[in-house]
Amino acid sequence: MASQLLLPPNQFTKSVSPQVFITGDCQGFSDLTLKRKSNQATRVSNGSSLRVKAALRSTHNKSVVEIPKQWYNLVADLSVKPPPPLHPKTFEPIKPEDLAHLFPNELIKQEATQERFIDIPEEVLEIYKLWRPTPLIRAKRLEKLLQTPARIYFKYEGGSPAGSHKPNTAVPQAYYNAKEGVKNVVTETGAGQWGSSLAFASSLFGLDCEVWQVANSYHTKPYRRLMMQTWGAKVHPSPSDLTEAGRRILESDPSSPGSLGIAISEAVEVAARNEDTKYCLGSVLNHVLLHQTIIGEECIQQMENFGETPDLIIGCTGGGSNFAGLSFPFIREKLKGKINPVIRAVEPSACPSLTKGVYAYDFGDTAGLTPLMKMHTLGHDFIPDPIHAGGLRYHGMAPLISHVYEQGFMEAISIPQIECFQGAIQFARTEGIIPAPEPTHAIAATIREALRCKETGEAKVILMAMCGHGHFDLTSYDKYLKGELVDLSFSEEKIRKSLSKVPHVV
């Protein structure tokens, strides 16, 4: 059966805003006030395509999932710590004061913390209740279509106001900036999930928000731009003529499609020259990955309630926040010896930083304004082809994910976009949710594994990160359905040229 929201039995007729009721098909739903009305469920107006269940199957099958009260920091449990970021001029480890012009103090502390858990502020938890906990859903119809013995679960983050996992970090970033008296925040965005999430969060805390959106996505995904503007943000295509970094790119290539690296350069430049302005980043950095671990912390509870242990955990990777959010709490359990899942990152074939990049210190942006970070990189001035998964068009991988990959705790593959959209159509026509182009990579990898299980007879438990819906990406689906979508791959020569400009750090 498809997953559905539950009507609680009579003994659960009080307000349970931070909790959800579950059964074996679907777990999770946020901020529901369930009242004593016979055979009637509270309406949930979160814009997602989540499905609801009419009743609990039995009184012994009821349970609750609470919103976690702490974020988890994987660094605390790693015996080999990740290399520190370096100052771009001195090549010495970065100091907190070196980041003060970009980030509020609390986020700087979180970036470098060795603490295992960080308390989530009450103000942030109250906003999380708008959509958290998010559901863990068993994809029974997809299993049936594939005729696989595998059991497929997906953790769905598309029910947030912005339609993705990005508000999990946008809200705390806006909160900490507002708490320290910041008036303006600037950022970059690819497909627009991050930009719209920060615009949403900024509107809640009275911050002015300015966004540089990768030009290709700015022009092809107008509705995400309109979301940002609806929440009060100013949005510019990147590269733009508003910054030195943007003007330099346009001089060399007036028709540049842009990249996340370029957009980061523009936003960082604006933050650095304005004292009342701070920079927010939607992926890559440790504090961002930290905030996203609320996904995996919830999911551990939900998998336990299902009585399942994942054999394989799959997520798409661009900068890595969605992947880290789901996988890092499970890596903790793996390090403890409690479970031993294979953890697999999936990246686009046109931008394969983990599978084709080098592990080296490099800039996080194109112009070389950020600290140097040890990460898997294709070179900071690498501009990926304009694939439809705009959120994955980043030249590098989060340093902490890169470190975990180097330590052997996870693996990585790349998949071309046509196979991804084939999987997305299968998923949409069985599970009802139209996925964003980014998680179609995880879907394609999941289908590959499920079909392998069909051949071997293995009943693996596959857990997949479904980080957002694709309601504003339908032009991509239009091209696929018309047969106009093509696979784009990287050029070896292009990467060699880009890698030649990676700084040499001894």
Side-chain angles (χ1 to χ4, degrees), residues 104-389:
N105 291 330
E106 186 58 36
L107 292 180
I108 295 173
K109 292 177 184 176
Q110 290 179 8
E111 186 65 22
T113 186
Q114 300 291 310
E115 295 293 324
R116 183 170 285 105
F117 293 101
I118 304 296
D119 290 339
I120 303 174
E122 283 298 324
E123 295 90 335
V124 173
L125 284 170
E126 284 301 313
I127 296 172
Y128 276 172
K129 290 177 186 178
L130 290 173
W131 71 94
R132 305 212 70 87
T134 59
L136 176 67
I137 303 171
R138 182 170 173 188
K140 287 189 173 182
R141 288 194 173 98
L142 181 62
E143 294 170 9
K144 183 178 180 181
L145 174 71
L146 300 174
Q147 297 180 320
T148 179
R151 299 191 294 283
I152 301 170
Y153 294 87
F154 62 95
K155 178 69 166 162
Y156 182 54
E157 292 290 305
S160 75
S164 76
H165 67 294
K166 294 293 188 178
N168 296 334
T169 184
V171 171
Q173 288 192 51
Y175 165 77
Y176 289 122
N177 274 287
K179 188 177 179 182
E180 295 189 19
V182 174
K183 301 300 181 185
N184 310 299
V185 292
V186 293
T187 195
E188 78 295 323
T189 194
Q193 288 102 329
W194 167 241
S196 56
S197 298
L198 187 64
F200 156 70
S202 297
S203 72
L204 298 180
F205 291 102
L207 298 172
D208 288 333
C209 179
E210 195 166 9
V211 182
W212 272 261
Q213 184 173 18
V214 173
N216 181 67
S217 293
Y218 179 92
H219 296 298
T220 60
K221 300 178 187 292
Y223 294 109
R224 286 228 173 83
R225 169 168 51 82
L226 288 170
M227 285 178 72
M228 294 182 246
Q229 292 168 335
T230 299
W231 278 313
K234 295 178 182 178
V235 189
H236 313 288
S238 175
S240 74
D241 60 3
L242 300 174
T243 66
E244 183 180 340
R247 289 190 292 270
R248 222 170 22 238
I249 296 294
L250 290 174
E251 285 172 6
S252 62
D253 182 6
S255 61
S256 171
S259 71
L260 280 168
I262 296 170
I264 291 171
S265 293
E266 296 203 82
V268 168
E269 180 182 324
V270 171
R273 71 187 185 206
N274 293 281
E275 291 186 5
D276 62 349
T277 301
K278 297 293 186 184
Y279 170 65
C280 296
L281 186 62
S283 192
V284 179
L285 294 182
N286 289 359
H287 69 267
V288 180
L289 276 54
L290 173 81
H291 300 155
Q292 293 293 353
T293 58
I294 193 168
I295 301 172
E297 293 292 355
E298 279 181 8
C299 196
I300 285 176
Q301 295 181 61
Q302 292 167 318
M303 290 298 286
E304 288 175 351
N305 288 331
F306 270 126
E308 296 274 40
T309 300
D311 298 301
L312 174 63
I313 299 172
I314 297 175
C316 66
T317 49
S321 66
N322 146 73
F323 176 80
L326 178 64
S327 67
F328 279 8
F330 284 95
I331 291 177
R332 177 189 67 222
E333 301 305 300
K334 185 173 183 175
L335 291 172
K336 291 179 180 178
K338 293 183 176 181
I339 57 175
N340 191 32
V342 173
I343 298 172
R344 183 173 298 157
V346 191
E347 57 187 4
S349 294
C351 194
S353 60
L354 278 172
T355 54
K356 297 294 183 180
V358 298
Y359 186 51
Y361 272 103
D362 197 9
F363 294 104
D365 71 311
T366 300
L369 301 178
T370 69
L372 291 165
M373 298 178 287
K374 190 74 175 286
M375 60 184 179
H376 289 85
T377 179
L378 299 169
H380 60 274
D381 65 350
F382 177 78
I383 300 179
D385 288 329
I387 57 173
H388 289 276

Side-chain angles (χ1 to χ4, degrees), residues 347 351-363 373-380 382 394-399 401-403 405-406 490 492 495-505:
E347 57 187 4
C351 194
S353 60
L354 278 172
T355 54
K356 297 294 183 180
V358 298
Y359 186 51
Y361 272 103
D362 197 9
F363 294 104
M373 298 178 287
K374 190 74 175 286
M375 60 184 179
H376 289 85
T377 179
L378 299 169
H380 60 274
F382 177 78
Y394 185 59
H395 68 271
M397 184 54 59
I401 290 178
S402 293
H403 180 69
Y405 183 59
E406 287 294 307
F490 65 94
E492 293 281 3
I495 288 184
R496 276 196 297 270
K497 182 178 179 182
S498 180
L499 289 176
S500 70
K501 298 179 183 179
V502 172
H504 295 284
V505 178

Side-chain angles (χ1 to χ4, degrees), residues 435-474:
E438 291 78 14
T440 64
H441 294 73
I443 292 170
T446 296
I447 290 174
R448 282 186 183 183
E449 190 67 28
L451 291 177
R452 276 194 285 267
C453 289
K454 180 181 178 179
E455 294 177 359
T456 65
E458 294 176 275
K460 287 185 179 180
V461 176
I462 304 173
L463 173 60
M464 178 182 71
M466 244 297 283
C467 58
H469 67 67
H471 298 172
F472 304 119
D473 302 283
L474 293 178

